[in-house]
């Protein structure tokens, strides 16, 4: 069964708790929280306080996507804030293996996120260590961008590597997902869909049907 991870990136701060509760009630499996630092990406978004705030209103899996540089010195703050999964971009820090090992020793699951301009081969040695790999289908930084179809070959590649080597990470796709491109991702082996504007632009009364139709 495909899991849905709504991205709350474009939700206004004062509406955050309400939106998260509605997504929780509508059957979201995860809540995708995009953390941006204005360095790894130009934009800035949520940080530790937002994770704490969201943690208080839902027991769903908090799927934290760090778009920050560097990573290591902040990782304990994100662990303590209540994250369940923390994914980071490995090119944003030189201590990738240490960060993953540290996450694996904590109760938080480790993940890496693959920027559209980076090939899987570059980080293949990390694949046996992580619980999740995010394939980015937009350039990190903003919600509401157009889905980059050619990136889906990475989903297939990760699916094949997992099968051939008996690895057990989950594959998530993130960026521009909607009801017309999700099947292409699912057919190529994705497990989790991060969905921002397509879902969040709808009225909350439509969340449940929309989430179900994406699965
Ligand atoms: C982009 C973020 C995505 C994005 C998803 O940097 O990582 O999670 O917010 O939103 P949509 O679905 O609108 O692309
Ligand atoms: Zn994201």
């Amino acid at each position: 069964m495909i899991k849905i991870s709504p991205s709350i990136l474009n939700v206004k701060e004062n509406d955050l708790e309400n939106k998260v509760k509605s997504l929780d009630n509508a059957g979201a499996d995860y809540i995708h929280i995009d953390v941006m630092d204005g360095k790894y990406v130009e934009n800035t978004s949520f940080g530790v306080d937002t994770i704490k705030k969201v943690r208080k209103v839902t027991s769903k899996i908090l799927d934290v996507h760090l778009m920050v540089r560097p990573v290591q010195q902040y990782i304990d703050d994100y662990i303590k804030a209540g994250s369940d999964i923390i994914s980071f971009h490995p090119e944003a820090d030189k201590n990738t293996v240490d960060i993953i090992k540290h996450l694996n020793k904590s109760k938080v699951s480790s993940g890496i996120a693959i920027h559209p301009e980076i090939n899987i081969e570059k980080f293949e040695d990390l694949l046996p260590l992580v619980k999740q790999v995010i394939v980015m289908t937009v350039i990190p930084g903003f919600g509401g961008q157009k889905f980059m179809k050619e990136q889906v070959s990475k989903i297939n590649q990760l699916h094949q590597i997992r099968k051939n080597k008996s690895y057990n990470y989950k594959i998530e796709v993130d960026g521009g997902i909607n009801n017309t491109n999700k099947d292409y991702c699912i057919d190529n082996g994705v497990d989790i869909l991060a969905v921002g504007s397509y879902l969040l632009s709808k009225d909350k009364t439509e969340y449940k049907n929309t989430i179900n139709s994406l699965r």
Side-chain angles (χ1 to χ4, degrees):
M1 176 82 136
I2 298 298
K3 306 278 191 203
I4 307 299
S5 188
S7 163
I8 53 173
L9 179 59
N10 285 346
V11 174
K12 291 196 188 73
E13 194 75 36
N14 63 0
D15 204 18
L16 211 56
E17 277 114 329
N18 276 334
K19 282 272 156 57
V20 170
K21 282 185 201 161
S22 304
L23 292 163
D24 180 325
N25 287 332
D29 302 287
Y30 299 58
I31 302 293
H32 185 95
I33 305 178
D34 288 304
V35 176
M36 303 183 185
D37 66 347
K39 287 183 224 145
Y40 178 75
V41 288
E42 271 174 45
N43 202 7
T44 54
S45 67
F46 307 131
V48 170
D49 290 344
T50 307
I51 300 170
K52 287 184 186 160
K53 220 180 193 182
V54 174
R55 181 74 292 166
K56 284 196 188 122
V57 295
T58 184
S59 55
K60 297 288 167 97
I61 296 167
L62 298 192
D63 175 26
V64 173
H65 177 192
L66 298 182
M67 284 159 275
V68 304
R69 179 201 307 276
V71 181
Q72 193 173 38
Q73 68 207 72
Y74 307 113
I75 204 82
D76 280 329
D77 297 337
Y78 294 110
I79 293 174
K80 282 188 217 136
S83 311
D84 294 299
I85 307 171
I86 298 179
S87 302
F88 66 100
H89 288 262
E91 73 278 22
D93 200 292
K94 54 184 188 310
N95 306 307
T96 41
V97 175
D98 287 347
I99 296 167
I100 293 169
K101 283 186 180 160
H102 186 67
L103 287 168
N104 290 347
K105 266 191 264 160
S106 74
K107 57 186 192 318
V108 176
S109 297
S110 57
I112 52 169
I114 310 292
H115 189 287
E117 283 155 15
I118 287 182
N119 296 327
I120 302 291
E121 288 76 11
K122 184 161 187 219
F123 296 118
E124 214 168 331
D125 57 328
L126 303 177
L127 297 179
L129 308 176
V130 294
K131 307 269 167 50
Q132 171 168 291
V133 183
I134 299 180
V135 173
M136 296 294 303
T137 41
V138 296
I139 301 289
F142 298 93
Q145 303 181 74
K146 192 171 171 280
F147 177 72
M148 299 166 81
K149 194 171 180 226
E150 75 286 355
Q151 296 296 320
V152 176
S153 61
K154 290 181 185 167
I155 297 175
N156 190 278
Q157 206 184 339
L158 286 164
H159 182 59
Q160 298 304 329
I161 296 172
R162 177 170 64 182
K163 206 164 59 186
N164 295 340
K165 305 209 169 174
S166 304
Y167 294 162
N168 55 21
Y169 51 79
K170 297 271 183 275
I171 307 168
E172 176 168 5
V173 64
D174 184 19
I177 297 297
N178 58 35
N179 63 337
T180 56
N181 56 33
K182 55 104 183 171
D183 285 323
Y184 186 46
C185 300
I186 295 170
D187 292 347
N188 278 280
V190 92
D191 306 294
I192 305 152
L193 304 172
V195 190
S197 38
Y198 175 70
L199 175 62
L200 275 292
S201 63
K202 297 191 192 284
D203 189 81
K204 64 176 191 233
T205 56
E206 291 178 58
Y207 285 172
K208 192 172 185 172
N209 281 341
T210 309
I211 287 173
N212 286 333
S213 70
L214 284 164
R215 283 205 178 97

